[in-house]
Amino acid sequence: MLLGGKLMVSGARAQSQGDWIDVHFHLIADKGDLESFDEAARAALQIMDAERIRTIVVMSPPRPRENFDVESLADITKKYGQRIVMFGGGGTLNPMLQEAGKSPEVAEGVRRRFEETAQRIIASGAKGFGEITAHHVSLSPSHGYESVPADHSLLLLLADIAVQNAVPIDLHFDPVPADVEKPSNLSSPRNPAVLKANLGGFERLLAHNRKAKIVWAHAGADPVGYFTPKLVRELLGRHSNLALSIRPTAPFPGSMVDPKGAINNDWIALLRDFPDRFVIGSDSFVVAKAYTGADAPRIFEQRGEIQRRGIRRLLSRLPVDLARRIGYENAERLYRLSR
């Protein structure tokens, strides 16, 4: 029911639609420290029990240099069964992609190693590839800036490999429709002075193999300003293989759920019009106590509850059938989690 411009539901309805699957979750520990990864997994399970999260999909963030990947997560996913499943490539394929993106040509040996690594990731039990990035702005001095054309030959190759294995790709892509000076809120010195247009390459990636399922991460919380409901509506209309994961809360204009809890009706209309194309991906971080790496993961860990609160609020404001689809049914289908 719509009342005063806001979606209203009864307490009983909100309580009935609280279950969800989180398709974008980070467990952080030093590479190879399996005990610390297990510590982080047990902490994540406590969050899951408190939040009624059925399953989380864990993955390495999109690293510019080689870091932990499925070798550090495989034992966790075996131990905890269907509650924790993994994607791979953020600490292996993504560094290879970022390095290859510095040159116009990709050597055959690099291409072969990329493909072999991707196939090993799936053979290790990964349910898909991620977190991979074509454009990733820096939000702090300890948070990297990364950029390659979204239609880079290695990304096109990854789309084909994903189709061969019937798995999706989780893609971090901060869209920029035209060259623009760096927004004032992106104060990190790692960001370039000018952000280059990149939407054309993204659409070419989507069109390259229509069977490739691309899950565009972080819908609803855009630090640059162009990841809008209008743009998403246009792209969903043109690309049937595009889906999006929702990270709803941000202190930026146009967020899906602002930090005070107000819900953006343009995003709600989009969810209603494309009910099978959205999943939930909180981008939560759980960091092991012994972790010795950069500060960014611990900063992001502190923001996890803000995202989960926004997700709870969003789901409670949706009609029951839509909350069920976006909460977990779409994820079960796209990520083949019931198999």
Side-chain angles (χ1 to χ4, degrees):
M1 178 174 66
L2 192 64
L3 183 63
K6 296 182 178 180
L7 287 164
M8 305 295 291
V9 296
S10 69
R13 176 186 290 185
Q15 182 64 25
S16 72
Q17 60 196 58
D19 287 10
W20 51 290
I21 289 172
D22 192 334
V23 303
H24 195 108
F25 204 104
H26 300 296
L27 304 179
I28 305 296
D30 292 333
K31 183 178 179 179
D33 185 353
L34 300 185
E35 184 176 342
S36 287
F37 275 104
D38 190 57
E39 172 207 313
R42 285 184 275 110
L45 287 165
Q46 291 181 335
I47 293 171
M48 294 169 67
D49 290 341
E51 297 284 351
R52 296 171 62 186
I53 302 172
R54 296 182 174 195
T55 301
I56 58 173
V57 180
V58 299
M59 62 191 78
S60 170
R63 306 284 190 164
R65 290 172 295 279
E66 187 173 338
N67 207 290
F68 79 84
D69 209 275
V70 291
E71 79 291 334
S72 295
L73 298 172
D75 286 348
I76 298 300
T77 59
K78 291 175 184 175
K79 180 175 181 178
Y80 297 108
Q82 287 301 307
R83 296 214 70 192
I84 302 179
V85 301
M86 68 178 178
F87 271 28
T92 50
L93 298 176
N94 195 72
M96 295 169 66
L97 171 66
Q98 301 305 314
E99 183 63 29
K102 297 175 183 178
S103 303
E105 301 293 332
V106 177
E108 181 56 34
V110 172
R111 181 181 176 89
R112 184 169 57 252
R113 186 163 63 90
F114 186 90
E115 182 170 10
E116 290 171 352
T117 302
Q119 298 291 4
R120 281 199 302 271
I121 285 169
I122 299 303
S124 72
K127 292 281 190 176
F129 298 111
E131 182 179 357
I132 308 297
T133 188
H135 188 221
H136 181 288
V137 298
S138 172
L139 300 181
S140 76
S142 62
H143 189 228
Y145 177 84
E146 301 172 52
S147 180
V148 298
D151 59 345
H152 188 280
S153 62
L154 290 186
L155 275 173
L156 301 183
L157 173 61
L158 187 62
D160 292 336
I161 296 169
V163 171
Q164 293 170 13
N165 291 281
V167 299
I169 298 171
D170 180 289
L171 185 70
H172 183 130
F173 175 71
D174 295 322
V176 182
D179 291 2
V180 63
E181 291 187 7
K182 179 180 69 174
S184 59
N185 64 293
L186 296 180
S187 59
S188 168
R190 295 193 173 199
N191 293 311
V194 175
L195 303 180
K196 296 293 186 178
N198 57 19
L199 273 175
F202 185 46
E203 293 209 64
R204 287 189 289 275
L205 170 64
L206 292 166
H208 168 70
N209 190 330
R210 290 299 187 186
K211 294 182 179 179
K213 294 180 287 186
I214 308 295
V215 182
W216 188 5
H218 313 325
D222 171 31
V224 183
Y226 302 107
F227 196 165
T228 63
K230 181 177 183 296
L231 174 64
V232 172
R233 182 178 293 277
E234 292 172 357
L235 294 181
L236 286 173
R238 289 199 289 268
H239 302 285
S240 60
N241 55 329
L242 176 63
L244 296 97
S245 69
I246 296 169
R247 184 184 68 185
T249 305
F252 309 121
S255 62
M256 197 175 298
V257 181
D258 76 19
K260 294 184 179 179
I263 296 178
N264 185 313
N265 284 333
D266 290 338
W267 278 112
I268 294 296
L270 191 59
L271 300 184
R272 287 178 177 272
D273 291 344
F274 294 90
D276 297 324
R277 309 281 284 278
F278 289 88
V279 292
I280 299 294
S282 71
D283 199 21
S284 291
F285 283 68
V286 174
V287 184
K289 294 182 178 66
Y291 172 66
T292 61
D295 293 337
R298 294 198 188 279
I299 295 171
F300 296 150
E301 183 177 34
Q302 298 169 13
R303 303 173 185 175
E305 171 52 30
I306 295 173
Q307 290 301 335
R308 292 188 290 273
R309 183 164 63 242
I311 289 164
R312 291 194 301 268
R313 185 165 181 81
L314 175 67
L315 292 176
S316 73
R317 294 302 188 268
L318 298 178
V320 172
D321 61 338
L322 183 57
R324 188 172 62 246
R325 286 189 189 185
I326 292 172
Y328 58 90
E329 287 183 349
N330 291 343
E332 289 176 340
R333 172 175 50 83
L334 285 169
Y335 292 69
R336 302 167 72 205
L337 296 179
S338 59
R339 302 180 188 180

